[in-house]
Amino acid sequence: MRSKLLRNWGLKLCSFLIAAVLWLIVTNINDPVGTFRVYNVPVTIQNAELITNSGQVYEVLDHTDVIDVVTISAKRSIIDSLDESNIIAVADMSELTNLNTIAIKLSTNKYNDKLESIRGNIDNVKLNIEDEKTKTLPLRAVTIGAVKEGYMVGDITTEQNLIEITGPESVISQVKRATVTVNVSGFTSNIGTDSPIRLYDENDKIIDVDSIVKNISKVRVTVEILELKTLDIIWKSTGAPARGYMATGEIHTDRNSVTVAGRSKAIANLHSIEIPESVLDITGATESLEAVVDLTDYLPDGVVIAEEDFKGKVEVTVVVEPIVERVVALDVNRIQILNPPAGFKVEIDTEEDAYDITLSGLERDLDALNFEAIQASVDIAELMQSEGLSTMRPGNYTANLNFSLDDNAVTVKNVPGIRLIITEAEYE
């Protein structure tokens, strides 16, 4: 059996090769019809100005301006010479139907008349057509993130402050604001950047549709970064109240410091805000002075208040109260004789046990004064000088009574003169 199979093997092989060649020749001569598929073929819309020139805009619906699959039937020789660049798909706006659809026409840019067929999986471009609307919006710049601790965001400026958008009325009417955003995380110096403009609806949702045309898509934004510093506020008053009134020395305010911001050079040597005395002038006042002081008036150029809920206005009260008088008795025995002359005896010439003295001052100071601590004295050296005496002589004199008070805010009014009898001392 094996010998029969191997007999004339060369003749058999030659017959096989001749049959294969004959099949190829027959195939090429007959050129059978085959198919060719192209995917994602874009549709060109012609005569679009028929819509746009009438003040309307159109929007392609359901991505029908792209054909998912185009199938071509043709002889193999034709198919082998075509590729996706030869496929043409057009929709002519002049053929727009009442349903806002346009028939898609498919062809090839060569051998088109030799095709058996060409078809796509969709036949029409679907459109939404409506009136065109233009709106102008102010540009708002915002920041996200946090600058480095000890710094804050200052002024934010944009090269342009308006944007014009055009598109379908239904879409444009939804746009409520235009915003550019700059990330300031970790910055300590000014930022300059080109930021994209985003559109938002009333619910702060981004509107990003191809049908909206912007006159600008980006804008240059400059963000000022300022250094923070806390300053003491120094309050002073000037002037004298009306007769019978006195300033207590108290200045009441709910703020004695403030945090400011500025460029590092502007605040490097700034340690306090000193309010001029003339701002709190109590000249002729018969009651406490109440004033509102705007701290921003006393800040250097380039330095601003850096507290979110504080605009710089501070209520200040300079306390002024009436002067009161109080009469107290000064025991004669508490009057000291200072610098008595040698060889003389000094006595106070009075039949009373005490002198009435009038103390003057603020009621609070009088209440706090320890009357027992009042020191009263007569200085004989001072008396001799006022009398023009180089040596003491016996006689009757009237001397000044001096007082020493713990509280300098209290004074003695109508100081009485003290009569003295000075005699030569007798020695036993």
Side-chain angles (χ1 to χ4, degrees):
M1 182 68 178
R2 182 178 179 186
S3 61
K4 289 181 179 181
L5 292 173
L6 296 176
R7 190 181 301 155
N8 298 320
W9 65 271
L11 182 60
K12 292 177 180 177
L13 177 60
C14 183
S15 298
F16 174 77
L17 292 174
I18 291 172
V21 170
L22 289 173
W23 181 84
L24 289 173
I25 292 172
V26 170
T27 299
N28 285 330
I29 291 174
N30 290 338
D31 199 5
V33 174
T35 58
F36 171 52
R37 288 184 175 85
V38 179
Y39 300 93
N40 298 321
V41 176
V43 179
T44 300
I45 297 179
Q46 297 178 333
N47 297 315
E49 66 274 7
L50 295 175
I51 295 296
T52 56
N53 288 347
S54 64
Q56 293 182 306
V57 291
Y58 67 88
E59 178 185 10
V60 176
L61 301 177
D62 303 329
H63 302 287
T64 52
D65 57 347
V66 176
I67 305 173
D68 296 329
V69 182
V70 173
T71 303
I72 300 172
S73 295
K75 291 183 178 182
R76 180 173 297 277
S77 59
I78 300 300
I79 289 175
D80 289 345
S81 66
L82 296 176
D83 60 33
E84 61 183 21
S85 66
N86 301 122
I87 310 302
I88 300 173
V90 296
D92 194 329
M93 194 69 78
S94 64
E95 299 177 0
L96 180 68
T97 70
N98 293 333
L99 297 176
N100 288 339
T101 61
I102 310 174
I104 300 173
K105 295 180 181 179
L106 288 167
S107 63
T108 58
N109 56 13
K110 66 179 183 178
Y111 306 126
N112 187 61
D113 56 343
K114 296 181 180 180
L115 302 180
E116 294 290 330
S117 67
I118 181 169
R119 63 186 182 277
N121 69 309
I122 59 173
D123 300 320
N124 297 285
V125 175
K126 299 177 183 179
L127 301 178
N128 173 52
I129 299 175
E130 58 182 292
D131 291 338
E132 183 180 69
K133 182 176 182 180
T134 298
K135 179 187 281 189
T136 301
L137 295 168
L139 268 178
R140 176 178 168 226
V142 298
T143 62
I144 59 173
V147 295
K148 188 176 179 181
E149 186 176 358
Y151 293 81
M152 67 168 284
V153 174
D155 291 334
I156 307 173
T157 57
T158 56
E159 280 190 348
Q160 298 186 55
N161 56 14
L162 295 174
I163 180 176
E164 185 178 274
I165 57 175
T166 302
E169 184 176 15
S170 62
V171 178
I172 297 299
S173 61
Q174 295 178 42
V175 180
K176 300 303 179 185
R177 62 182 178 89
T179 301
V180 289
T181 303
V182 179
N183 191 332
V184 299
S185 298
F187 275 85
T188 60
S189 59
N190 292 353
I191 304 170
T193 184
D194 293 322
S195 297
I197 301 171
R198 292 187 174 88
L199 306 177
Y200 294 83
D201 64 14
E202 61 183 3
N203 297 317
D204 286 336
K205 183 179 178 181
I206 293 179
I207 298 176
D208 186 12
V209 294
D210 294 336
S211 59
I212 295 180
V213 177
K214 305 171 186 172
N215 68 327
I216 53 172
S217 59
K218 290 184 177 181
V219 69
R220 187 72 177 176
V221 184
T222 301
V223 181
E224 185 182 40
I225 307 297
L226 303 176
E227 186 175 351
L228 298 174
K229 196 169 191 179
T230 299
L231 305 176
D232 292 330
I233 306 171
I234 300 176
W235 302 99
K236 293 181 179 179
S237 64
T238 188
R243 185 179 181 85
Y245 293 85
M246 180 185 296
T248 68
E250 298 172 293
I251 299 179
H252 296 318
T253 175
D254 58 356
R255 181 173 287 273
N256 288 303
S257 65
V258 63
T259 300
V260 300
R263 294 186 178 181
S264 299
K265 289 183 179 180
I267 65 174
N269 297 318
L270 194 61
H271 304 291
S272 63
I273 302 175
E274 186 167 342
I275 307 303
E277 294 180 355
S278 58
V279 174
L280 302 175
D281 189 349
I282 57 173
T283 300
T286 58
E287 59 183 9
S288 296
L289 172 67
E290 296 181 352
V292 176
V293 177
D294 190 343
L295 298 182
T296 60
D297 293 339
Y298 308 100
L299 293 176
D301 291 340
V303 178
V304 297
I305 302 290
E307 298 180 25
E308 185 175 354
D309 297 325
F310 177 57
K311 303 304 180 184
K313 295 186 186 237
V314 182
E315 294 183 356
V316 186
T317 301
V318 181
V319 181
V320 174
E321 295 182 356
I323 297 173
V324 297
E325 296 180 353
R326 191 168 298 175
V327 178
V328 297
L330 175 65
D331 195 307
V332 172
N333 294 328
R334 289 173 53 197
I335 299 175
Q336 293 180 305
I337 305 297
L338 303 179
N339 299 311
F344 290 86
K345 179 180 178 181
V346 180
E347 295 178 299
I348 297 175
D349 182 16
T350 181
E351 296 180 354
E352 304 294 333
D353 295 331
Y355 285 100
D356 287 338
I357 61 173
T358 302
L359 301 179
S360 175
L362 299 174
E363 187 169 9
R364 71 183 73 178
D365 295 327
L366 291 173
D367 290 341
L369 183 65
N370 179 9
F371 297 111
E372 298 300 323
I374 297 176
Q375 299 293 323
S377 62
V378 174
D379 190 340
I380 301 302
E382 180 184 303
L383 172 63
M384 292 178 63
Q385 184 177 5
S386 65
E387 294 288 336
L389 299 176
S390 57
T391 59
M392 178 54 70
R393 295 196 300 267
N396 296 328
Y397 297 91
T398 299
N400 294 325
L401 187 59
N402 300 319
F403 292 90
S404 175
L405 301 175
D406 292 338
D407 191 340
N408 293 328
V410 177
T411 60
V412 178
K413 186 178 180 182
N414 300 327
V415 177
I418 301 298
R419 294 194 308 274
L420 299 178
I421 301 175
I422 300 179
T423 57
E424 292 183 0
E426 297 180 358
Y427 296 99
E428 296 181 356

